[in-house]
Amino acid sequence: MERIHITDVAPRDGLQNQQVPVSTDAKLQLIRLLAAAGVQSVEATSFVSPKAVPQMADAGDLVPRLHAALPQLRTSVLVPNLKGLERAHAAGAQEIAVVLSATETMNRKNINMGLEQATEVSAQTLAEARRLGLRTRAYVAVAFDCPFEGPTALTAVQASCARMLEAGAGEIVVADTIGSAAPGQVRQRLGALAGTVPIERLAVHFHDTRGMGVANAWAALQAGVRRFDASAGGIGGCPFAPGAAGNVATEDLVLMAEQSGFATGISLPGLLEAIDFAQDQLQRPLGGRAITWLRRQRDKALASTS
Ligand code: COA
Ligand code: ZN
């Protein structure tokens, strides 16, 4: 079976926007459960301003503990600038992701820089990360629509992708930050971007705001993409992008991919344990589109073995 690669972003995209504070111990436990479910790659946290995102203020404590507990796990962290990179490197991070939005206003709202400066800072951060021997990813955010400027020009997305590749990004993550894309648009846009980014270095990051996250992932699969971000339980959303709902749920993506003949290495019952844990922590029901059916399958399996 052909393999797809999933990065679970629940610990970062998922937890950055929660009202309930989550302890470092609980974050660690969530990531342990994800790894136990077979998740091989996570985005663990972000080294951003604690004033901007208080939920990620413990990044410097979390990363060394995570590496000690789960040395085999591929762990990326988001950094918005050189200061973030410096903090991440000091904490022992081995992989970073920069975040460049393809529009002027989204950059200003998210990282307080215009497009030109954000591009420059992201490029410098990537170059410095490479010099330090770190693996690198570059998010190209609002790659379909911007919550402030409307539809994002394809040429703007292509230019951001090209610049991030040139600056040394190992992987380009095309992000539908507000979850507004539909599968036909995904097919078209990824087809066009494949001329700019080698397909094996292209990843996609969908949000499920309009219920099309899994359909969009399928369109990306058909376009040849094999790298996906997703979030266990479907938690997520950028606090600076109004209207963004959670990420496409990892359990939905795994179910869709496995049933369609792709291997993920991830166990659905294992994911359910991680989701149950996150649900206890956040004190609200979590889960993607298939969660009720998945839980019913688990209950049936448990009943038949007891
Ligand atoms: N980590 C921690 N602190 C940081 C930092 C980082 N990566 N970058 C800057 N700071 C600190 C500065 O040291 C300074 O601290 P001081 O007030 O104690 O002197 C303060 O933040 C302001 O620095 P400045 O460079 O002027 O930043 P800013 O106020 O223009 O904010 C960002 C820019 C990028 C730091 C901020 O907008 C941010 O963290 N955004 C993250 C957004 C995010 O996580 N979005 C969701 C994921 S896409
Ligand atoms: Zn996101």
Side-chain angles (χ1 to χ4, degrees):
M1 264 208 290
E2 199 183 346
R3 187 71 177 236
I4 66 164
H5 304 272
I6 297 177
T7 296
D8 200 301
V9 297
R12 196 279 300 171
D13 209 338
L15 296 182
Q16 72 183 2
N17 203 13
Q18 300 298 328
Q19 305 307 316
V20 182
V22 177
S23 70
T24 312
D25 283 347
K27 290 175 182 176
L28 202 56
Q29 181 59 13
L30 172 62
I31 298 171
R32 273 205 186 95
L33 290 168
L34 291 172
V39 170
Q40 296 118 53
S41 170
V42 296
E43 188 169 73
T45 184
S46 56
F47 288 84
V48 297
S49 158
K51 279 183 208 142
V53 187
Q55 295 88 337
M56 300 286 113
D58 63 347
D61 294 332
L62 178 65
V63 167
R65 291 180 62 191
L66 189 53
H67 285 311
L70 299 163
Q72 306 302 328
L73 184 68
R74 179 177 167 189
T75 301
S76 177
V77 300
L78 186 146
V79 304
N81 55 16
L82 285 166
K83 165 129 193 195
L85 174 62
E86 198 181 294
R87 289 177 59 216
H89 184 55
Q94 288 156 9
E95 176 165 11
I96 59 103
V98 298
V99 54
L100 173 63
S101 299
T103 66
E104 177 73 18
T105 317
M106 190 63 224
N107 281 304
R108 289 205 182 280
K109 299 284 183 186
N110 194 34
I111 56 174
N112 198 28
M113 301 172 210
L115 177 59
E116 205 177 291
Q117 192 192 353
T119 305
E120 215 30 61
V121 167
S122 297
Q124 278 171 6
T125 306
L126 285 173
E128 178 61 11
R130 299 261 306 189
R131 200 186 63 76
L132 293 169
L134 307 186
R135 281 174 89 159
T136 54
R137 309 176 91 206
Y139 281 103
V140 175
V142 298
F144 293 86
D145 295 284
C146 171
F148 307 103
E149 296 187 18
T152 305
L154 172 63
T155 49
V157 180
Q158 283 169 321
S160 292
C161 290
R163 186 72 185 90
M164 293 301 95
L165 273 183
E166 183 191 291
E171 202 172 302
I172 301 290
V173 191
V174 172
D176 180 15
T177 308
I178 57 170
S180 63
Q185 295 172 298
V186 170
R187 187 182 57 184
Q188 208 175 21
R189 196 146 276 215
L190 292 179
L193 289 174
T196 308
V197 186
I199 197 80
E200 66 280 2
R201 288 166 68 187
L202 192 67
V204 286
H205 176 108
F206 293 119
H207 283 260
D208 205 17
T209 314
R210 302 188 190 181
M212 285 190 253
V214 170
N216 288 340
W218 175 246
L221 257 173
Q222 297 230 296
V225 172
R226 295 293 179 264
R227 300 184 176 277
F228 296 84
D229 281 5
S231 165
I235 48 174
C238 175
F240 309 101
N247 293 73
V248 63
T250 310
E251 61 274 21
D252 289 348
L253 180 61
V254 168
L255 183 62
M256 178 277 272
E258 299 265 347
Q259 208 177 324
S260 304
F262 292 89
T264 63
I266 299 176
S267 128
L268 286 165
L271 269 184
L272 289 178
E273 281 190 42
I275 295 163
D276 287 348
F277 176 78
Q279 193 166 269
D280 283 349
Q281 291 297 316
L282 297 174
Q283 299 156 34
R284 63 183 178 85
L286 300 179
R289 310 276 152 189
I291 195 73
T292 307
W293 184 83
L294 288 170
R295 289 207 168 109
R296 212 184 307 135
Q297 298 309 107
R298 173 175 65 179
D299 294 346
K300 271 196 223 159
L302 283 175
S304 71
T305 54
S306 63

